[in-house]
Amino acid sequence: MQKLVFLTGAGISAESGITTFRDSGGLWEQYRVEDVASIDGYYRDPQLVTNFYNERRRQLQDAQPNEAHKLVAQLEAKYDVCVVTQNVDDLHERAGSTNIIHLHGELRKITSSRNPNDPSQIETLPPGKSITYPDDRARDGSPARPFIVWFGEPVPMIEAAARQVAEADIMVVVGTSLNVYPAAGLVNYARTDAHIYLIDPSPTNVPQYLNIHVIAKKASEGMRQLCNEL
């Protein structure tokens, strides 16, 4: 069975109503990155950061996996599929994908502000719970923070993702511009004989040194074309 690795970004969840960060009208036009997505911002104003992620969870509760998520999951019937996602939502899981690496954390989890990547400190919020409070405590007694990789923090799952890409027969990039590092650098780990696809309605900065087949469509439409081509 061939190994198929997906690298997904905000564009695959946009069709589910999840607000993107960098696009026009995205979250970074409404909030300063350093205020809501950095450890300094968290310590400076924990209430603002808590409210920001509470709102993201409320939005996620109302969202449903779209066709692109479902098609990714369905390919597990024919391929050994690994999904490497920059998204912090759980739409891949809800669509049925079973092998997922979250590079930037998971919105429905909280962790210790002292040791955020300690597996023993990471907790999944109960179903239906979207609200946390600044005075919530993690298992080690420290303030509980969102299990999100903030700007300036290491990306602990990047090496595991690179190993998956290095083993891939086929790599598919969906909904991410290949401008955000270190995730964008994952394509450089692909084997020289691997087939690489990029699904993006407005592809820019496509590495010319890689033989990338571009499908210039939005996620769901592009995934339909990909499934027909595979």
Side-chain angles (χ1 to χ4, degrees):
M1 183 177 285
Q2 286 188 305
K3 187 172 187 65
L4 172 54
V5 174
F6 282 92
L7 173 61
T8 69
I12 198 171
S13 292
E15 293 176 42
S16 294
I18 300 295
T19 306
T20 60
F21 287 86
R22 290 176 173 78
D23 292 339
S24 176
L27 289 171
W28 295 150
E29 291 184 0
Q30 304 171 46
Y31 297 90
R32 285 173 11 119
V33 174
E34 54 268 36
D35 288 341
V36 296
S38 74
I39 191 64
D40 289 341
Y42 173 70
Y43 284 128
R44 185 167 56 247
D45 192 341
Q47 185 66 67
L48 174 66
V49 175
T50 299
N51 291 345
F52 177 81
Y53 291 99
N54 284 345
E55 180 57 35
R56 306 282 74 72
R57 291 190 202 97
R58 279 194 291 266
Q59 183 187 51
L60 180 57
Q61 280 187 325
D62 295 332
Q64 296 297 325
N66 61 55
E67 184 181 6
H69 293 110
K70 295 173 183 177
L71 289 173
V72 169
Q74 289 169 16
L75 284 169
E76 290 190 11
K78 296 181 179 179
Y79 297 91
D80 175 13
V81 177
C82 175
V83 178
V84 178
T85 186
Q86 298 172 79
N87 298 338
V88 296
D89 61 55
D90 62 352
L91 296 179
H92 278 302
E93 284 89 343
R94 285 197 263 152
S97 290
T98 60
N99 183 15
I100 305 167
I101 295 175
H102 282 272
L103 291 179
H104 296 157
E106 297 177 65
L107 190 56
R108 293 211 47 78
K109 294 182 179 181
I110 58 174
T111 189
S112 158
S113 55
R114 184 181 301 138
N115 297 296
N117 296 312
D118 180 349
S120 69
Q121 300 301 318
I122 300 168
E123 300 179 63
T124 301
L125 295 173
K129 178 177 172 58
S130 62
I131 304 299
T132 64
Y133 300 93
D135 57 356
D136 288 345
R137 287 292 182 267
R139 290 167 177 158
D140 63 3
S142 70
R145 57 167 273 184
F147 180 54
I148 302 293
V149 177
W150 283 328
F151 286 93
E153 295 184 320
V155 181
M157 297 304 294
I158 195 69
E159 291 184 4
R163 287 193 295 270
Q164 292 291 324
V165 172
E167 297 173 359
D169 299 293
I170 304 167
M171 182 179 185
V172 183
V173 181
V174 189
T176 181
S177 62
L178 292 179
N179 288 326
V180 182
Y181 287 84
L186 286 171
V187 292
N188 296 310
Y189 289 89
R191 301 196 320 252
T192 56
D193 63 338
H195 298 280
I196 305 176
Y197 294 82
L198 171 64
I199 299 174
D200 191 321
S202 303
T204 58
N205 297 330
V206 179
Q208 297 302 310
Y209 58 89
L210 293 171
N211 184 22
I212 297 180
H213 176 48
V214 176
I215 299 176
K217 297 179 179 179
K218 290 185 177 181
S220 290
E221 187 180 3
M223 278 299 302
R224 287 197 296 271
Q225 180 175 328
L226 174 77
C227 290
N228 288 332
E229 292 186 14
L230 287 179

